Structures are given as structure tokens and as C-alpha cells.
Amino acid sequence: MSGKQIFGLIVVVIAIYIAYNSMFVVTPRERVLVVQTGEIVDAHVPPGLHFKIPFVQTVHRFERRVMTFTGEIDRVLTSENKNLSVNYYVKWQIADPVKYYLSTHGEVERARSLLTASVENDLLAEFSKRTIRQAIGGDRNEIVAAVQVQVNQDAKQLGVTVQDVRIMKLDLPAEVSDTVYARMRSERQEVIRTLRAQGDAAAKEIRSDAERERTVVLSKAYKKAESIRGEGDARAAEIYANAYKKNPDFYSFYRSLQLYRQSIGDDDILLLKPDGKLFKYFNPALAEAAGNGG
């Protein structure tokens, strides 16, 4: 390869390099500033293919979409001088690329750092106006709304807008949690003891009422049973009397058999002298005499 060919190749490479550095593409997701020797020459570059002066003008690209960052404050002091730890997130967007570039030099980390400082200062101020109960309860939405308004006022100087501020978690510092949880457990135990005492008192009252009702029911049942038993005995006596009238000898024999059955067991051995009226059915002579006497 001759010297002219090498020179021509070098010229072509340089021309391609210059042409490449003369063009840039803007996507719909970007905001672009064209800067020349430290001065902004074009702040409204639409999406598409564009040209610039190579090596003189530089292109600075910024995110057009909403961005998010999270943060944590270890100690937030409430109006009761109680500490909380707060986890939060912030959604923000570049609204004015010129202000953003001039205030942050286009550095996302610097913008996040400035926004973080502003958000945390406003959160500290809002929590200091409220008790823990208010912060955990319904005032949380009021807190983030007030912080968002205040942060947006500060963010205007950075050329950004804050779309949303949210508290993800509120918690007590680790060294305080054990004490608070112990107190909560003690309070719960006291509630449990109170409820148990109330339950025991109610149970005693219920048992007393049940015992009283049981006594009344048993008394009525006993009275009714005695009445029925008396009626039964009277009816039995009437039946016995009618049976005796119909056949006194058979009735006497039947009653004697019942008495024998009740008095003498299966394994009993009795030595008796059958000369009384009760044993007349064991002694035929006595039975005959009794019959003749009748």
C-alpha cells in the first residue's frame, strides 16, 4: 500500500469519525440540551436525528420519565419527644432541563441528594408537630401531602417536580422497641386479667342461677312424683282390697308367697318352726286346721 493510499484511508476514517460525532439521536424518553463551550445553545430538541458541531458542541441527556428513590430516617422526634424511624419513597421528574443542568450539572445523584435533604427536613418538621398516635393514624396522609407541597417549592430551583411522597414504614428504634413491646405486653396482660375476672364473676353468677333453677325443678319434680306415688299406692290398695273381697283364701296365699320370696334368698338356709299362721302353707295339718276354723 502506497503512502497516498494510507493517507487517503486516514482521511476517510477521520471523516467518518467527524460525521459520527456530528449526529445524535433523541428518543421520546429523553430530554436533551446542546451545550457549546459551557453555554446552552439549544434546550428544545425534539425526538429524532439531529446534527451538532463536532468537538465543539456536546449533548447532555436527561431522563424524561418519572424516577423513584427511597430513603430512611433513623430518628424522627415527635411532639412527645418520642423517636421513630421512617422509611419513605419519592417519585420525581425533570421539568426544566435548563435549571436542572445549571443547578446539578446534570448529575442524577446530586439531584437525589438535594431532594433527599429537602424531603427529610420537611418530614422532621411535620412529625415534630404530632404525637406518635397521630403520626401512625390518620395524620400520615396529611404529613406526606404537606411534605410534597413544601418539597415542590424547593425543587423548582432544581428544575424538577416531585410527583409523590409516601411513607412506607414507621417503626420504633431498635433500642426502644423492647421497652415499648414489654409495656404493651404488660397492658395486654392487665386486660386479660380483667377479662378473666369478669368471666369468672359471670360464670359464678350463671352457676348460681343454674343451681337455684335446678333446686326449684327438683322440688317440683319431687312434689309431682310424691303425688303420683300416693295416687299409685291408693290405687294399689284399692286393687288389693277388691282382690281380697273376691277370693280371701287365694289373696292370702298370694301375699304369703310374695312374703316368702322377699324374705328368703336363693342361698339362704333357715331353721323355722312352722307352727305360726305365716307358715301354714308349709304345714298341711296347720293349713287344714286353719281351713276348718275358717
Side-chain angles (χ1 to χ4, degrees):
M1 183 179 291
S2 64
K4 289 183 179 181
Q5 290 175 331
I6 294 174
F7 179 76
L9 182 60
I10 293 173
V11 170
V12 170
V13 171
I14 291 174
I16 293 173
Y17 181 72
I18 292 174
Y20 176 77
N21 279 275
S22 299
M23 296 182 295
F24 65 95
V25 176
V26 179
T27 68
R29 297 179 300 177
E30 297 176 312
R31 294 180 183 272
V32 170
L33 293 181
V34 180
V35 179
Q36 180 176 329
T37 61
E39 193 173 322
I40 299 172
V41 295
D42 193 352
H44 303 284
V45 183
L49 178 64
H50 301 275
F51 295 90
K52 65 181 179 68
I53 302 173
F55 311 114
V56 177
Q57 294 179 337
T58 56
V59 175
H60 295 270
R61 302 175 184 273
F62 312 111
E63 183 66 60
R64 182 186 290 271
R65 294 173 297 181
V66 176
M67 294 171 280
T68 303
F69 69 87
T70 61
E72 179 180 0
I73 310 176
D74 292 332
R75 289 183 178 275
V76 175
L77 197 64
T78 65
S79 62
E80 307 163 297
N81 292 326
K82 302 293 185 181
N83 287 318
L84 289 172
S85 63
V86 180
N87 292 76
Y88 65 91
Y89 73 83
V90 177
K91 291 185 176 295
W92 63 288
Q93 187 178 29
I94 299 172
D96 188 336
V98 175
K99 282 186 178 181
Y100 180 77
Y101 175 74
L102 294 177
S103 59
T104 66
H105 302 291
E107 299 175 4
V108 174
E109 291 302 322
R110 178 174 175 79
R112 287 178 180 172
S113 176
L114 294 172
L115 285 175
T116 297
S118 179
V119 169
E120 292 188 355
N121 286 335
D122 293 334
L123 281 173
L124 291 171
E126 291 299 324
F127 274 100
S128 67
K129 303 174 185 177
R130 294 169 171 84
T131 64
I132 289 181
R133 186 179 297 275
Q134 290 172 333
I136 295 175
D139 283 9
R140 182 184 296 196
N141 292 334
E142 296 180 6
I143 291 173
V144 294
V147 169
Q148 184 174 342
V149 171
Q150 186 60 43
V151 170
N152 266 315
Q153 293 178 357
D154 300 334
K156 289 179 181 179
Q157 301 176 2
L158 303 178
V160 303
T161 58
V162 176
Q163 302 290 343
D164 195 14
V165 178
R166 292 292 170 183
I167 296 173
M168 296 187 293
K169 184 174 71 171
L170 286 174
D171 204 353
L172 294 168
E175 60 271 19
V176 181
S177 297
D178 292 340
T179 303
V180 173
Y181 292 150
R183 186 172 68 250
M184 291 173 63
R185 283 193 293 270
S186 177
E187 292 174 353
R188 293 296 92 191
Q189 290 294 333
E190 183 62 30
V191 172
I192 290 171
R193 285 192 292 270
T194 301
L195 292 176
R196 283 179 176 171
Q198 293 174 352
D200 291 341
K204 289 179 180 178
E205 184 176 355
I206 292 171
R207 282 194 293 268
S208 176
D209 291 341
E211 187 65 27
R212 184 166 53 252
E213 185 176 355
R214 172 179 172 273
T215 302
V216 172
V217 170
L218 289 176
S219 176
K220 290 180 179 179
Y222 179 77
K223 181 179 179 180
K224 187 174 182 179
E226 289 299 314
S227 175
I228 295 173
R229 186 178 293 109
E231 293 175 359
D233 291 342
R235 179 59 179 162
E238 183 181 356
I239 293 172
Y240 288 148
N242 292 332
Y244 180 79
K245 289 178 181 179
K246 289 182 178 181
N247 193 335
D249 292 337
F250 177 78
Y251 180 78
S252 176
F253 174 71
Y254 176 75
R255 293 290 290 173
S256 297
L257 289 180
Q258 284 187 324
L259 183 59
Y260 298 157
R261 186 180 295 110
Q262 295 173 1
S263 301
I264 304 172
D266 294 338
D267 298 328
D268 294 339
I269 298 176
L270 300 177
L271 297 177
L272 302 172
K273 184 178 180 181
D275 55 359
K277 291 183 179 181
L278 178 62
F279 300 103
K280 64 183 179 179
Y281 297 106
F282 287 95
N283 189 343
L286 186 61
E288 184 178 356
N292 293 330

